[in-house]
Amino acid sequence: MSNALNTDPILPDHLAAAAKATARAWIDDNKERLSEWHQHIWDLAEPAWREFRSAEWYVRRLRDEGFEVEAGSGGMPTAFSAAWTQGVGGPVLLTYAEYDAVPGNCQAAGYEEGPREGLSRYAPGHTDPHSALGISTLAGLLGTMHAMKVHGISGTLKYTGEPAEKVQGSKVVHGLRGYYDGVDAIVSFHPFYMLPLCNTARWDTQCGSYYSRIYTFVCDEPETWQLGANPDSPIPASHSAARAPGANVALMSMYTSSRVMQDAMLPSFGGWSLSDAIFTHGQATADNLPARIAQIQYSWRCPTIDMAEHVLAVLDRNAGHAAALAHCRLETTWVARNRPGRTNHVLAQKLYDNLAEVGAPHYGEEAIAAAQAIQAGLGLEPMESPFLEECGQLISPQDAEAKLREHLAPWQRNWTSDDYVEMTHYAPTVRFYVSRPALRAAPDGPAYPGWVMNALGGIPATIDPTIETAGKTISGTFLDLLTRPEVLDAAKEEFRRRTGEDPMPPLLEPDFLPPTDFAWPDYSPDPSAGGSGSRLWYPQETDRA
């Protein structure tokens, strides 16, 4: 097959079929490399906004493959934007990598609970796993690129590195900075994490809005809390001077009042949720001084923007009062403020058609043996077929939608959250899921502990089928869009119609800055490792009496 650009009067269907076969063959031929790449990212397991080595690996890999890459795109140190073009014209198609891990979830790729070697159990680990998300889309991207070269297909492939998905931080920034402008279609992938969305594409019910905001309490002048107190003291900051309660008091007032008022923020339906996280600062040895600064992050998921705004109003009010009572100044910083997603039936159906051609993941003897070993270690009778039945089955987007709607109120258009939703406002986008390994429940037995799915996400025999299936599905979808203009035209027309019927402008200003400089969880180098790259996490594991 010639590398020259294709000018033969070949039917698009035939061209697409031949190109898909070429792309799938490339993925088959590179299974071992893809597995090694995944294991590397899984082992790095760097948390949100701190994925320095993971992002560096992707940038180097893409440049080696021939992509032009901008590192640190959008002002985000661990983001990137890559592009490769063949020919003149042709569609611009985009998919992306995620690679952030979750603090406190360090798990070895083994058959029992335990952290990776040399790390504390409090270190980050891949739970979803985003490691497989990124290598799956990379497989699809490179398989498509190879097929375009072999069959002379014109077009542009774009690939973005999206850090900090766990706080939904990067896609809103890339969108505001124009990185999705000019894109004709986007494919968004995530390993399956809830039924019935397993081996399918989302149909109507997309993810909803997500807000995340940091409240910073600053006690600038604790000694002015009671001016004139203890006037005989020669030192204004003496141990007996009356000082402001300080930032910690403000934070705890904010924390307790918001917890108490959570039931009053919104009615208890719609699947909305609120979570909080307290940032750490170096004031543990401050002796008798009040805390000068304290920060708490709130994140909330709501089906609608109106609901999210109601929560915001309560939190802002609580923060203002907490700052005032503790003699503090209040600062607020957005982490993310995302719009609910738009659906695209044309892309969803086309992607599912390609998933059906590939088929659901297949777990071989080695994968089954790994699953059985985990079951035996938990005191369960190993099953002949240990994986969840749905992991090996397809479900159409329409059938998955019907099952999903059984649990939702009729008025509810969106459910759960993920920041792919921001992409859906810039170009036609499809969101799809391929099963990750999950074990079949034991009859009358308890649920599996959380570490089990984390471990299965790092064992090559159990996670590689996810990467293979997703990669082939993405490449097939891309090649259909590259060779069948009528499909892409229909997807873009649907996008224009839906955007016109329900316009939703961005919720953050164009000059919004990503909050990368906050005290996000991070690794610390091990001074005793002699620069070997070993890492510690605090608190470290110690012998407990």
Side-chain angles (χ1 to χ4, degrees), residues 448-468:
Y448 291 99
W451 69 263
V452 171
M453 284 193 75
N454 296 350
L456 289 169
I459 298 172
T462 57
I463 193 62
D464 287 355
T466 301
I467 296 169
E468 177 186 350

Side-chain angles (χ1 to χ4, degrees), residues 186-477:
I186 299 172
V187 171
S188 170
F189 166 65
H190 199 290
F192 139 76
Y193 57 87
M194 61 183 178
L195 297 176
L197 299 177
C198 183
N199 299 319
T200 191
R202 279 190 182 260
W203 193 244
D204 284 320
T205 306
Q206 301 294 324
C207 286
S209 64
Y210 175 91
Y211 284 26
S212 184
R213 190 167 171 92
I214 296 170
Y215 294 88
T216 300
F217 301 98
V218 183
C219 188
D220 289 311
E221 296 183 281
E223 285 76 26
T224 65
W225 170 246
Q226 293 187 40
L227 288 176
N230 199 10
D232 296 329
S233 172
I235 304 175
S238 67
H239 286 206
S240 59
R243 293 189 182 86
N248 282 348
V249 171
L251 184 147
M252 292 311 299
S253 297
M254 173 68 172
Y255 177 84
T256 54
S257 62
S258 298
R259 283 283 180 175
V260 168
M261 294 182 65
Q262 185 167 345
D263 288 342
M265 291 181 184
L266 287 172
S268 298
F269 58 80
W272 81 277
S273 64
L274 176 70
S275 60
D276 48 57
I278 297 174
F279 282 67
T280 58
H281 291 279
Q283 299 188 160
T285 58
D287 188 19
N288 66 312
L289 300 176
R292 295 295 297 273
I293 184 172
Q295 293 176 318
I296 186 168
Q297 176 194 9
Y298 283 93
S299 304
W300 55 106
R301 306 176 177 208
C302 297
T304 70
I305 292 175
D306 285 345
M307 294 175 72
E309 290 290 327
H310 281 295
V311 176
L312 173 63
V314 175
L315 291 175
D316 280 355
R317 186 165 56 243
N318 290 353
H321 288 302
L325 70 85
H327 197 60
C328 289
R329 172 169 53 86
L330 173 65
E331 299 175 357
T332 59
T333 306
W334 283 110
V335 178
R337 199 178 185 187
N338 297 329
R339 298 164 280 182
R342 296 190 189 280
T343 199
N344 193 284
H345 287 168
V346 173
L347 282 189
Q349 187 61 58
K350 178 51 61 180
L351 184 136
Y352 182 74
D353 291 344
N354 278 281
L355 177 58
E357 289 180 17
V358 175
H362 171 74
Y363 301 102
E365 292 182 2
E366 189 177 350
I368 292 172
Q372 290 173 335
I374 290 175
Q375 289 178 326
L378 292 171
L380 302 174
E381 181 70 26
M383 302 176 186
E384 182 178 353
S385 300
F387 292 103
L388 188 69
E389 189 174 0
E390 287 86 350
C391 287
Q393 299 175 342
L394 302 179
I395 181 170
S396 73
Q398 296 85 350
D399 288 342
E401 176 74 15
K403 288 181 176 292
L404 184 61
R405 297 302 313 181
E406 292 175 1
H407 304 282
L408 303 180
W411 61 266
Q412 189 173 343
R413 295 171 55 191
N414 303 93
W415 184 54
T416 72
S417 68
D418 186 289
D419 63 348
Y420 83 90
V421 293
E422 277 298 309
M423 292 177 150
T424 69
H425 295 273
Y426 293 92
T429 303
V430 56
R431 171 72 159 187
F432 83 106
Y433 304 89
V434 168
S435 65
R436 57 176 295 187
L439 298 187
R440 186 191 302 267
D444 303 321
Y448 291 99
W451 69 263
V452 171
M453 284 193 75
N454 296 350
L456 289 169
I459 298 172
T462 57
I463 193 62
D464 287 355
T466 301
I467 296 169
E468 177 186 350
T469 300
K472 291 179 177 179
T473 300
I474 292 169
S475 65
T477 304

